[in-house]
Structures are given as C-alpha cells and as structure tokens.
Amino acid sequence: MPESSLDNFSPEVKDTGTGSVECRAPPLRQFNQSLLPLHRSSHMLSSFCTEHNVQECRSHINQEVSTLGLPPVWTESAGSTDMNVVAVLNCMYDLIQLHRRNLRTVENMEIEQLKCSSNLDYLQLTSTRLKEQLEQSKRENTAILERERQLQLKMKSLQNCLKNEKEEVQRLQNIIASRASQYNHEMKRKEREFNKLKERLNQLLVDKKEKKQAIDVLNNIGRADGKRSLWKTEKTEAKHEGEMYKTLLSDYDTRQKELLLENAELNKVLQQMKKDMVTILSSRKSTLKSGKHQDDCIQADSEEDEEVFDFGKESVDQYCVHAREKLTYSIRLQWRRLKSHVERLDSQDVCSASLVQMGDIRSTDAVSRKTHEEEMERLKEEIQQCKDFIQTQQQLLHQQLSSPCDEETSSLLSDCYMLQEKERLREEWETFEEQRKIFERERRNFTEAAIRLSHERKAFEDDRAMWLKHQFLNMSPFSESKKPPMSKSKSAYVLSDTKASAASAQRRLIKCPSETTSPSSRFVPHKSKSTADLYHTLCLIPENSLTKPKRKTERVIESSIFLNGNVAVQHKNRNDSED
Amino acid sequence: MMNFSEVFKQSNQLCKVSPDGKYLATCVQYRLVVRDMSTLQILQLYTCLDQISHMEWSSDSLLILCAMYKRGIVQVWSLEQPDWHCKIDEGSIGLLSSRWSPDGRHILNTTEFHLRVTVWSLCTKAVSFIKYPKACQKGIDFSRDGCYMALAERRDCKDYISVFVCDDWHLLRHFETETQDLAGLEWSPNGCVLAVWDSCLEYKVLMYSLDGRLLSTYSAYEWSLGVKSVTWSPSSQLLAIGSYDEKVRILNHITWKKIMQFEHPATINNTKAVVYKEVERRPAVGSDDLSLHNISIGTTLFNTQSKYEICPPPVQISVTKPDADRANPKIGVAALSFSSNSRYLATKNDNMASAVWVWDMQKMTLEAVLEQSSAVRCFQWDPRRPRLALCTGNSKLYLWSPAGCVSVQVPTEGGFQVHSLTWHCSGDSLILLSKEQLCLCYMDTEQEEK
C-alpha cells in the first residue's frame, strides 16, 4: 500500500505545484465548479467526500494538512487504508485550535483596527483643529503685523509732523525775533525823533517871552522841620552818602537781628529735639545691652553717641561754623538712628501681633524676653519629665528581665510570644503567597495573550500570504503556461476568467484534485520521486515559468517556509529517511 | 452797626482826609471845602481859578494843593493862614500832573509830553528842573520815610533811575537798569530796596538796593504778556507780583526767589477756602410805595437787598473772555493789596471782575473768595485792622474780615452809588464817593471791642 499511498500522494503534491497546468482540464471544469460552493461552506462538507472519492479526499486533506504544517492524517508506513483515528482527531483538534486562534486574532485585529481608526479619527480631528488654530494664529499674526505696519506708518507721519512743527516753531521764533528787533529799531528811531522834537519844543518855550513859568507866593514859608535850607556843598553830599549807608546798615542790622532771633528759636527747637532723641535712644540702648543680640558695631555707635551727646550739651551757645556742623551732624546721626529704630519697631509689630498693644518700646522688649524665657523654662521642664519617664520604664524592664521568676512561666511566655510571632508571620506569608499567585496568573495571562497575539499574527500573515499567492496565481501563470496542448483553450479560459479574480483563485485550488483522475498515468515516472524532489520541482516551476511575478511567489514560499519551517524540514527529513 | 453821615457834594471824586486825620477836604467845581472830621463843620472855603482836577494834602496837613491841569496852574492854600496864597503857573509848556514832595514844601510838576519835572520850592521860590522823566505807569516814587525819591528816566533809548535826596534834591545815585522798557518802580516800605519792573511785553522784575546795586532779577516766563502789578507787603518781607497769566507770585526778601504762587482758577475746589456769594433779592413792592413821588426820586424801589451765602466747593466763578485782538486785554491780576498787618493779600483778576480773592500769607493758602453780583470797582484794607472794604458801584458797602462777610445798604435818599471808597487813617470811618457825592460811614468801634 505504500505504492498506492504514494500514488495518491504524488499527484496531489504535484497538483499543488503544477496545478496550474492540470486544473484547466476541460472535463474537470464542471466538477470544480460544483465543488466550489461545497468547499466554501463547512457544513456541506459531507458532500465533499463520497464513497467514490474517499481516496482523493483523503489525499487532498492530507496534503492540505501538511501544507498547514500539521502532521499528516495518516501515514503510508502504517500500511493500512484505515484512517488513523487518533491522528485525524489530533488533526481536527489542531485545526479547530487553529481556527479558534485565527478567529481570536481576527477579533483582536478588528478591535485594534477599531482602536486605530478611532485613534486616527481623533488624530485627524486634532490635526484639523490644530490646522485651524494655525490658520487663525497666522491670520492674527498677519493682522498684528499689518497693524504694526500701520502704526509705524502713523508714527513716521507723526514724526514728520513733529519735525515740521518744530521747524515751524523755529521759523516763527525767528520771525518773532526779527520782528522784535525791527520793532525795537523803529521804536528807537521814533524815540530819537521824539526827543529831538522835545528838545525843540523846550527851546521854543524857553525862547517864548509872553507866557513864562512863574510862581507867585505871598510870602515864603518855613521848612517843615523849621531848619534853614543848606547850601549844596561836598559836605552835604558826604552827609547824604553817609545817611544812605546808615539806613542801609540799619536795615541789614535789623535783618540780622531777625535772623539771629530766628536762629536762636530754631536752635532751641533743635536742642529740644536732641534731648528727646537722646532720652529715647538711651532707653533703647539700655534695653539692648540687657538683650542678647548686641554686637560691637552698636556698642561703638553708642560710644560715639555718648561723645556726641556730651558735646551737644556744650555747644548750645556756640555759633561758630565748626560747632554748627557738628551739631547738625549729630542731629542727623541721631535722627537716622531714630528712624531705623522706628522702622525696626514697625517690623517687630508686624512679626508679633501680641506685642502691638504694648505702646512703650521698653515694655515690649521686656515682655518679649520674659515670654521667651518662660517658654524656655517650660520646654526644659517637659524634657526633664520625659527623661524621668524613660528612666522609670527602663528600670521596670530591667527588673522584669532580671527578676528570678520560674523557668516555666518564662518559657511559656516566650513560647507564647513565638507562637504569636509565627502566626503573624504565617498570615503575612499567606497574603504574600496569594499576591504572588495573583501576580503569576496575571503574568501567565499576559504571556498567553502575547503568544496568542503572535499566533494570530502568524495566522493573519498566513492568510495574507495565501491571499497574495492566490492573487499572484490568478494573475501570473495563465499568461505563460508552458503546456502546449491546453494553450489555446487556456488562453481563452484566462480571458474569460481574469474578471472572476478572487473566485477563480479559489476554483483553481479545488481543480487540483480533479486533475488527478485522468492524467495520473502520465506522471507515473515522477511518482517515484521523493517529496523533496517534488518540493524542488515545485520551487523550480515558478522560477522557470515566471519572470514577472517571480518576486511575489518567492516571497510567498519564503513566508511559508518561515512560518512552518521546522515542520517542513522535519517532514522532508522523514521522507528522506523513508527513501 | 454802622452810622452814616449826610451826603455832601463833591466833584471829580476829589475828597481827601488830611494825613493827621483831623480835616476833610473836598472839591466842588472850583471851590475847595475843608471840614472838621469830627463835626463835619466847614472850617475853610477856598475858591480856585478854575475847576479843580487834582487836590492833595501836604504831609504836615497844613497846606492843600489844587491843580488845574487844563490851565496849567497849581494853587496852594494854607489852613493856618487863610489869606496866604500861592499860585504856580507852568505857562504854555502845560501841566500833566502835580504832587507834593514828602516834606510838604516842594511841589513837583510834570509837564506835558514829559518834557521835564519842575520842582518848585515854597520856601525859596526856587525852581529846578529834572530832565528826561519817563512816561510810564509809575515813574516817580518816594520812600515811605520821605527821604528819597526814585525817578525813572529815558535817555538815548535806555532806561535810567535817578535817586534823589528829597531834602535838597541832591542826586544820590544815577544808574542804568536792565530793562527793555521800564514800566514802574516802587520802594520797599523800609526804603532800602527798589522794585523795578519791565513793560508787559517782558516778564522782568529787578531789585535794586538804595545804593544802586542790582540785588536780583526775577522772570517767571517768556514771550507772553508779563507783569501787571507789583506790591510790597508792609513788612517789606514779601513782594507780590500780579501778571497777565492770572497768577500772583510771591517773592521773599532774603533770596528774592519765588516762595509761592497763587492761581485764580475759574472753579474753586479748595475746601479750606470760604466762598461768599452775594445773592440779590428785590424787595416786595407795596402798592402805596408805587407813588409818583417815589419813582421820581428813585429811592428804594430800585435798590435791592442782598446778602452773602457760603457756597460749598466746587464753585464756578463767572469769567469774561478778554478780546484777544485789542491791546491791554482785560485779563490778569491788576489789583493787589496787603492788609496792614501783612497777614492777608487781596487780589482781583481782571477777567473775573466780580470776585475778590483773599489769601492768607501765613498759611499761604486761599482764605476767602467774595463773589459779587456785579463788577468790583474798588477795594481797600482798613489801615489798622485786617478788614477789607469794597464797592461795586451800587448802593451797598461790603466788608470782609476773617470773622465773616457783610453787606450794608447806604441809607441815603436818592440812591447813593458807591464808586470808590477810602479809609480814614484811624480805621474808624470810611469815606464813600459816588459820582458827585460823598458820604461818611462810621464804624461802631465800641461794639467791635466787645
């Protein structure tokens, strides 16, 4: 029976490889066409296999299975025509698994597809929105640029205007100046004329005889002061000068007196201020000294202060420049200090709201220090208490440990402790284990999912390869088939079939088994060839026959080898060994 | 309370109290009437050669000068010797103005066209001439003590100032001033500083010492019209300058720099200042009053009662826009007056003719604004108290003091329109002048003292 099995096998193999040649057999056409729908729907598989064609079906299925990379349903080595039920069941199971996996893959793919599409939608939406935004911002930008340009233009025009106005102002000023000078000139001319006229008039009036100036007094009256008028002499002149200077001097005198008075007043005020400042600042210093934060700088300052204060007392009535300078300097110094002090007080007030109520500087300082000390005291007490507590605890513990209590109770106690500890640990362990299990499960799930995904992807790739192959087959072989007897009819077939694309691809696959019926004898010498040879020829055929879609087929074969490589190789090896 | 005397006739608003406050001289056409101030009895009556255009008491209250500018004649009368007479004839050269020298023994006559100033001595009958006097707003000023006279001169198109000793008309100083066109000069009350200001075309005020040194120059702005009026405070410590920009600037006497600037805004927002607004009310006319007799005399029917109301800020002051095309525009501060104690300054802005502004010079703030219902004609401080009297050409007298403001109807027959007023030197009475009449108003001092 190995013969027959081989017989059955070889045409099958050949058919897949060279099916393109045989499947166009006109008598088989009808059969193929009838078979096609059966193959499509699985529930009508019953009619796929009849009592007559069990052999063919078997071989066909075997081949199909082998192409899927599964172990053959039965082997010739078994030597029996009976089906290996276990193998078949295994195969079926594998097929179902495969099918399920494929389904899952498809589902996942669909989900992914959906995700991708939604993602794509979202991205598209985002991109459109962004594009809109871009457009808008571009528009805004252009608007702003336009505005800027306009403003610049405006500014330029305004600048021009300003320049013009300035020029105009300059021009007008020049005009005014020229007019003024002209006017002055005219005025002077007129005045000269006027003076000339006056002179002339004077002359005329003096010359005129009939109406002269006159004074008619009954009798001269005495001077208001009763003195007689004096002759004008150099002495009187000097006297006048002297009197003038006397009045001026007396004026300056009175002014100086006023100033002195004012000065004295101001000095008094200054002194008063100084005293007040001294009292305020000295009180502050005393508080500062008692306080902790006093540096040398302040000390030096205070020393200087003392000196200045002492000096101030002496300088009350000194009016020399030096004294004044020193006085003003000291006042300034103290004023600055007072200011800074007041500022500090302000900031202090802000810091401690509780101190705000305390009006007096001194009291605030004292109070703050007092509260501070109290706080310290309290804290120290607390620390002491804590220390005491700890000590008593330690003592008690020590007593407990070193106490001469009986061994049993102690061991029991320790046991009890141990048990408790154990219990606790076990509990922890359990929870940990649980967590681990959960984790494991999750990991498994993950790996499974990953495997499934890869499988599904493989299946998908397979499908795709298949589809591509069919596509390729559909396109390529008909144009360049080497079989002469069928060339004419085949060409006609191609012409008729090219439009049936996908459907024809399926058809061709099914043609293969039908071919085996008639030309089986023709391929007899080939039958002895091993599967390896068959594969070889199978590989060669596209090489020889095709030039154009060669790349496609190669890829298909490659992919198939890649996918089921191990199985194929194993299979081949087995065949070799069989030989 | 106030009492009013009966009404007397006068002409040309010539009515003056003697410097010692004892006599009142009035001119009626060509007659000069001298009355006793307390009794108002006529003491002397002099008849001049023509209608009197100017009358002035000598500083010792003994002589009265009456000038008749049209005829170029000055007549002098003596109160002590009614028979004594003196006549000065300026001849065909003409007379423009006449005044006493501070000693009361010399008369200074300015001839027509400002040809010269003639100084006549009543003691010696001597006559002297001062050439080249300048025709300007205020070209002659005597110092308060009567020792010196400053005279603005114009020679060779340049301004000069001559300082004379009034005693013997000795030329003490003669110096050129840094002015384009000198407009006026005024001695400080202590007689040591002479303030000189340029014409309104240029804002320039110069301070000269008695010995002719330039102490300081002050200019607030350029180009637009400048100084309109200048007044010293009685203490000689402040100089107030009113100008065409409606502002008053106060200079101090030590650095001669501006220490304050008073503006006269049309809207008063100052919350510290009191704004008195005069509100007029026509009295209800009784049917029996409407007799022909009353109308013909024109008494109370045409008189309106008025009182002051205090307006809360902001207050809008009525402003008349000056004609920009005409010369001497009615804008800017033309009237300035310090109170006798230098505490207050009263000002009037020409384009706010109905308002008088009173400034406190201690606080340097606006103290009060008196907005009258008609244009203010004249205002004058009481020479003794911080009390301001003003008139607006109607039959009322208005008085302001820090305590408040009051308007008094002049209770005379025939409606007395007060055109100007003068305080008696004691501050106890006021002389009110209408167009052709005068009336004395006595302040009740006793009540005031209470």
Side-chain angles (χ1 to χ4, degrees):
Chain A
M1 283 320 275
E3 277 272 36
S4 64
S5 70
L6 241 174
D7 257 7
N8 291 333
F9 196 69
S10 55
E12 281 293 323
V13 172
K14 225 183 148 187
D15 188 42
T16 47
T18 58
S20 52
V21 186
E22 235 64 55
C23 64
R24 307 312 151 207
L28 282 175
R29 215 155 149 197
Q30 293 296 96
F31 177 70
N32 280 340
Q33 269 162 354
S34 67
L35 266 177
L36 180 70
L38 305 180
H39 189 73
R40 264 190 202 156
S41 47
S42 54
H43 64 272
M44 275 152 54
L45 260 171
S46 53
S47 49
F48 159 65
C49 179
T50 52
E51 282 129 33
H52 311 293
N53 64 350
V54 174
Q55 282 294 316
E56 288 87 16
C57 283
R58 211 180 349 175
S59 64
H60 176 70
I61 280 172
N62 217 10
Q63 199 178 359
E64 284 289 302
V65 163
S66 69
T67 54
L68 283 173
L70 298 171
V73 180
W74 67 87
T75 50
E76 284 92 331
S77 58
S80 67
T81 49
D82 292 334
M83 296 233 281
N84 191 348
V85 179
V86 179
V88 167
L89 282 177
N90 274 336
C91 184
M92 265 170 74
Y93 176 74
D94 282 347
L95 280 171
I96 287 162
Q97 284 289 320
L98 202 67
H99 178 64
R100 279 210 188 127
R101 235 179 281 148
N102 283 348
L103 274 180
R104 243 180 275 140
T105 315
V106 166
E107 224 170 81
N108 281 352
M109 293 295 245
E110 272 171 358
I111 288 165
E112 212 160 295
Q113 173 77 17
L114 268 175
K115 260 193 226 160
C116 282
S117 68
S118 71
N119 217 354
L120 189 71
D121 278 352
Y122 172 73
L123 284 174
Q124 270 171 349
L125 213 80
T126 320
S127 82
T128 50
R129 215 180 48 222
L130 285 172
K131 265 181 198 163
E132 272 170 25
Q133 270 182 11
L134 187 71
E135 276 302 305
Q136 204 184 333
S137 48
K138 266 183 188 166
R139 254 179 281 131
E140 275 172 15
N141 195 24
T142 48
I144 285 165
L145 278 174
E146 175 62 20
R147 220 168 62 204
E148 194 193 344
R149 197 183 59 81
Q150 280 176 359
L151 283 173
Q152 265 174 351
L153 272 178
K154 212 167 150 189
M155 198 177 77
K156 238 176 231 172
S157 71
L158 281 174
Q159 269 175 346
N160 271 339
C161 258
L162 184 72
K163 212 176 121 194
N164 287 346
E165 289 296 320
K166 270 184 184 165
E167 275 167 11
E168 184 71 13
V169 164
Q170 194 58 47
R171 203 174 59 81
L172 287 173
Q173 271 179 346
N174 287 342
I175 286 172
I176 287 171
S178 67
R179 284 179 78 97
S181 60
Q182 184 64 33
Y183 166 81
N184 282 338
H185 178 75
E186 290 288 317
M187 278 292 284
K188 272 180 189 165
R189 200 170 55 79
K190 292 240 168 75
E191 211 174 312
R192 281 202 194 95
E193 270 175 34
F194 178 55
N195 282 339
K196 265 185 212 158
L197 280 171
K198 264 180 167 178
E199 281 296 317
R200 183 104 182 96
L201 183 67
N202 222 354
Q203 206 63 45
L204 282 172
L205 286 169
V206 166
D207 289 348
K208 221 165 144 190
K209 297 288 175 197
E210 71 258 41
K211 206 176 179 195
K212 266 193 133 179
Q213 287 176 306
I215 181 164
D216 171 26
V217 187
L218 185 70
N219 55 329
N220 294 356
I221 50 171
R223 283 165 60 100
D225 52 6
K227 285 184 207 159
R228 287 181 63 190
S229 60
L230 298 161
W231 289 104
K232 275 194 190 179
T233 56
E234 279 181 19
K235 218 170 115 187
T236 56
E237 211 169 290
K239 198 189 80 186
H240 287 319
E241 286 283 314
E243 268 172 10
M244 182 192 78
Y245 284 122
K246 226 157 87 184
T247 50
L248 276 178
L249 261 177
S250 71
D251 176 52
Y252 283 126
D253 236 37
T254 51
R255 261 161 86 164
Q256 205 207 337
K257 265 178 204 156
E258 276 168 22
L259 285 175
L260 269 179
L261 222 76
E262 204 177 314
N263 219 347
E265 201 80 9
L266 288 174
N267 255 318
K268 235 185 259 172
V269 172
L270 206 63
Q271 220 60 45
Q272 187 67 39
M273 234 163 84
K274 206 166 143 69
K275 246 185 243 165
D276 288 354
M277 268 195 244
V278 167
T279 50
I280 290 166
L281 287 171
S282 61
S283 69
R284 179 175 69 99
K285 229 172 279 127
S286 66
T287 57
L288 269 179
K289 264 172 195 162
S290 59
K292 279 177 188 173
H293 49 281
Q294 190 191 17
D295 11 333
D296 302 337
C297 172
I298 288 170
Q299 230 156 8
D301 269 10
S302 67
E303 275 163 23
E304 202 179 295
D305 268 3
E306 241 88 273
E307 184 199 317
V308 168
F309 295 154
D310 292 342
F311 171 76
K313 278 162 203 155
E314 293 160 15
S315 70
V316 180
D317 292 319
Q318 287 179 7
Y319 285 105
C320 67
V321 179
H322 183 63
R324 199 168 58 220
E325 263 176 18
K326 235 174 174 177
L327 187 79
T328 48
Y329 171 72
S330 74
I331 289 281
R332 243 180 237 149
L333 198 80
Q334 282 163 45
W335 178 247
R336 221 175 298 141
R337 223 162 276 163
L338 193 71
K339 220 168 81 179
S340 67
H341 180 60
V342 169
E343 272 163 15
R344 205 166 54 79
L345 274 182
D346 282 353
S347 62
Q348 224 172 43
D349 281 0
V350 172
C351 284
S352 55
S354 62
L355 299 182
V356 171
Q357 287 96 328
M358 313 302 177
D360 197 0
I361 308 145
R362 238 179 135 173
S363 72
T364 50
D365 260 6
V367 164
S368 71
R369 203 170 49 251
K370 223 171 99 183
T371 49
H372 183 74
E373 274 167 13
E374 271 173 17
E375 192 76 14
M376 285 283 282
E377 208 72 11
R378 212 164 52 75
L379 286 170
K380 271 179 189 167
E381 264 175 32
E382 235 171 66
I383 288 165
Q384 196 56 46
Q385 274 177 4
C386 287
K387 271 183 184 167
D388 286 351
F389 193 66
I390 289 162
Q391 205 150 24
T392 47
Q393 267 188 338
Q394 270 181 344
Q395 269 179 0
L396 280 171
L397 202 72
H398 198 69
Q399 268 179 7
Q400 205 181 28
L401 285 174
S402 62
S403 64
C405 59
D406 49 339
E407 299 296 314
E408 282 172 315
T409 46
S410 69
S411 68
L412 209 129
L413 267 168
S414 66
D415 270 2
C416 195
Y417 283 131
M418 287 283 276
L419 272 169
Q420 267 184 3
E421 197 70 15
K422 264 185 186 168
E423 202 83 348
R424 207 166 52 75
L425 278 170
R426 204 171 38 229
E427 265 170 29
E428 267 180 19
W429 181 255
E430 264 165 23
T431 52
F432 178 67
E433 273 293 308
E434 246 170 47
Q435 275 175 2
R436 203 170 64 100
K437 270 177 196 161
I438 290 162
F439 183 66
E440 278 283 309
R441 213 182 303 143
E442 268 175 21
R443 206 173 62 164
R444 218 173 343 167
N445 284 351
F446 267 110
T447 44
E448 256 176 31
I451 289 161
R452 218 184 303 139
L453 197 73
S454 68
H455 276 286
E456 273 161 11
R457 204 205 282 152
K458 265 180 206 164
F460 178 70
E461 282 289 328
D462 251 2
D463 275 5
R464 203 170 65 141
M466 195 68 89
W467 185 77
L468 278 169
K469 198 166 88 183
H470 291 326
Q471 192 90 334
F472 155 64
L473 286 172
N474 198 15
M475 282 163 68
S476 58
F478 313 126
S479 57
E480 261 192 282
S481 57
K482 300 287 185 203
K483 301 298 168 189
M486 263 82 106
S487 63
K488 269 183 186 171
S489 60
K490 195 179 72 186
S491 64
Y493 176 74
V494 168
L495 280 169
S496 65
D497 240 295
T498 35
K499 275 151 202 168
S501 59
S504 64
Q506 294 270 16
R507 219 179 296 154
R508 259 170 277 131
L509 272 173
I510 299 150
K511 271 180 232 160
C512 307
S514 66
E515 279 165 21
T516 53
T517 45
S518 57
S520 56
S521 57
R522 248 176 67 189
F523 289 98
V524 172
H526 293 283
K527 273 172 198 169
S528 60
K529 275 182 185 169
S530 65
T531 42
D533 289 335
L534 285 173
Y535 271 96
H536 183 66
T537 50
L538 200 139
C539 288
L540 276 173
I541 285 156
E543 225 173 64
N544 299 335
S545 62
L546 307 174
T547 44
K548 206 181 154 193
K550 176 183 165 188
R551 197 169 54 89
K552 261 187 183 173
T553 46
E554 263 177 1
R555 204 174 66 186
V556 170
I557 287 151
E558 262 169 29
S559 67
S560 70
I561 284 162
F562 169 72
L563 290 172
N564 307 323
N566 283 336
V567 184
V569 167
Q570 269 175 7
H571 186 202
K572 194 176 131 188
N573 287 345
R574 202 187 298 165
N575 284 347
D576 283 347
S577 66
E578 276 166 33
D579 278 351
Chain B
M1 282 302 295
M2 282 177 239
N3 295 313
F4 288 86
S5 74
E6 56 181 309
V7 173
F8 303 105
K9 268 195 156 182
Q10 54 88 6
S11 55
N12 277 343
Q13 315 260 320
L14 291 172
C15 177
K16 276 171 184 162
V17 184
S18 64
D20 60 6
K22 284 181 188 160
Y23 312 104
L24 177 70
T26 52
C27 297
V28 184
Q29 304 297 341
Y30 50 87
R31 279 194 300 277
L32 172 70
V33 185
V34 180
R35 293 169 199 271
D36 187 279
M37 191 64 203
S38 50
T39 61
L40 293 178
Q41 293 293 310
I42 294 176
L43 294 177
Q44 294 291 341
L45 202 144
Y46 307 98
T47 310
C48 295
L49 293 168
D50 202 351
Q51 179 150 1
I52 302 159
S53 32
H54 178 71
M55 179 263 284
E56 196 178 322
W57 283 94
S58 70
S59 56
D60 56 5
S61 306
L62 294 174
L63 303 170
I64 304 168
L65 169 156
C66 294
M68 289 135 277
Y69 292 145
K70 271 182 197 161
R71 291 181 59 151
I73 295 169
V74 174
Q75 283 189 295
V76 186
W77 307 101
S78 167
L79 211 62
E80 284 177 329
Q81 306 166 43
D83 300 333
W84 185 86
H85 63 88
C86 168
K87 192 185 102 183
I88 299 166
D89 192 349
E90 283 293 339
S92 50
I93 202 161
L95 182 61
L96 207 66
S97 79
S98 180
R99 77 189 80 200
W100 283 106
S101 77
D103 65 354
R105 293 296 176 270
H106 294 83
I107 290 167
L108 284 81
N109 286 340
T110 310
T111 61
E112 238 175 327
F113 308 114
H114 286 87
L115 273 179
R116 62 194 180 207
V117 175
T118 329
V119 183
W120 299 93
S121 169
L122 298 185
C123 303
T124 60
K125 288 207 258 183
V127 61
S128 42
F129 304 107
I130 304 168
K131 270 180 125 184
Y132 315 114
K134 179 159 186 179
C136 59
Q137 192 184 340
K138 191 176 183 187
I140 295 179
D141 195 40
F142 297 103
S143 63
R144 194 70 54 92
D145 61 359
C147 280
Y148 304 102
M149 181 183 85
L151 178 74
E153 293 177 8
R154 185 80 177 176
R155 296 182 195 183
D156 303 328
C157 305
K158 278 177 198 156
D159 289 319
Y160 293 88
I161 287 173
S162 295
V163 179
F164 293 94
V165 181
C166 293
D167 225 13
D168 53 2
W169 305 108
H170 166 72
L171 180 64
L172 189 69
R173 285 286 185 276
H174 180 77
F175 52 88
E176 194 185 330
T177 61
E178 293 174 19
T179 49
Q180 282 288 314
D181 180 19
L182 191 149
L185 40 79
E186 189 167 315
W187 287 106
S188 67
N190 64 9
C192 291
V193 182
L194 185 68
V196 177
W197 61 96
D198 215 329
S199 74
C200 62
L201 290 175
E202 204 169 343
Y203 194 116
K204 200 171 191 182
V205 179
L206 304 152
M207 310 294 161
Y208 286 99
S209 165
L210 176 60
D211 53 358
R213 282 179 298 124
L214 178 65
L215 295 173
S216 170
T217 308
Y218 177 74
S219 175
Y221 53 85
E222 282 181 289
W223 306 115
S224 57
L225 293 179
V227 180
K228 203 163 190 184
S229 58
V230 173
T231 307
W232 284 95
S233 78
S235 63
S236 303
Q237 288 177 340
L238 302 171
L239 183 70
I241 306 162
S243 51
Y244 279 91
D245 65 344
E246 304 177 55
K247 283 173 191 146
V248 174
R249 291 175 177 82
I250 310 291
L251 307 188
N252 74 74
H253 76 302
I254 293 173
T255 61
W256 301 113
K257 297 260 167 64
K258 185 181 84 178
I259 52 169
M260 200 60 208
Q261 175 173 307
F262 296 141
E263 292 176 30
H264 296 74
T267 311
I268 299 164
N269 289 312
N270 191 341
T271 49
K272 300 236 172 95
V274 185
V275 181
Y276 298 97
K277 194 179 171 72
E278 188 193 7
V279 181
E280 285 188 328
R281 259 181 320 177
R282 293 204 170 270
V285 181
S287 54
D288 50 332
D289 284 342
L290 213 76
S291 58
L292 263 172
H293 173 74
N294 269 349
I295 290 167
S296 61
I297 295 172
T299 52
T300 53
L301 183 66
F302 299 105
N303 292 331
T304 51
Q305 294 179 340
S306 74
K307 61 168 186 152
Y308 279 112
E309 277 180 1
I310 293 173
C311 297
V315 182
Q316 198 74 32
I317 304 279
S318 62
V319 179
T320 49
K321 208 163 185 286
D323 195 344
D325 297 335
R326 297 180 65 177
N328 300 315
K330 278 214 168 290
I331 189 169
V333 182
L336 283 169
S337 179
F338 279 96
S339 69
S340 55
N341 60 357
S342 302
R343 172 77 194 264
Y344 298 104
L345 172 70
T347 61
K348 195 185 118 187
N349 188 10
D350 277 351
N351 53 335
M352 301 173 182
S354 58
V356 173
W357 308 62
V358 181
W359 309 86
D360 188 326
M361 297 311 286
Q362 266 179 19
K363 297 183 206 150
M364 288 288 174
T365 53
L366 182 63
E367 173 83 16
V369 178
L370 281 71
E371 203 193 356
Q372 307 295 131
S373 50
S374 45
V376 176
R377 288 286 184 100
C378 168
F379 61 87
Q380 195 176 33
W381 286 99
D382 181 336
R384 295 288 172 88
R385 281 163 282 260
R387 185 161 59 174
L388 186 73
L390 55 133
C391 59
T392 61
N394 58 14
S395 62
K396 277 180 283 294
L397 165 71
Y398 305 94
L399 287 169
W400 176 89
S401 74
C405 219
V406 69
S407 75
V408 182
Q409 175 80 35
V410 181
T412 50
E413 290 280 315
F416 190 92
Q417 312 286 314
V418 186
H419 281 243
S420 84
L421 45 79
T422 332
W423 281 95
H424 185 262
C425 54
S426 69
D428 295 337
S429 55
L430 264 167
I431 297 141
L432 310 176
L433 304 172
S434 73
K435 204 177 176 190
E436 288 179 321
Q437 286 173 313
L438 80 110
C439 170
L440 269 82
C441 166
Y442 299 95
M443 301 287 155
D444 201 339
T445 50
E446 280 176 31
Q447 199 163 8
E448 207 173 86
E449 274 155 23
K450 278 171 197 171

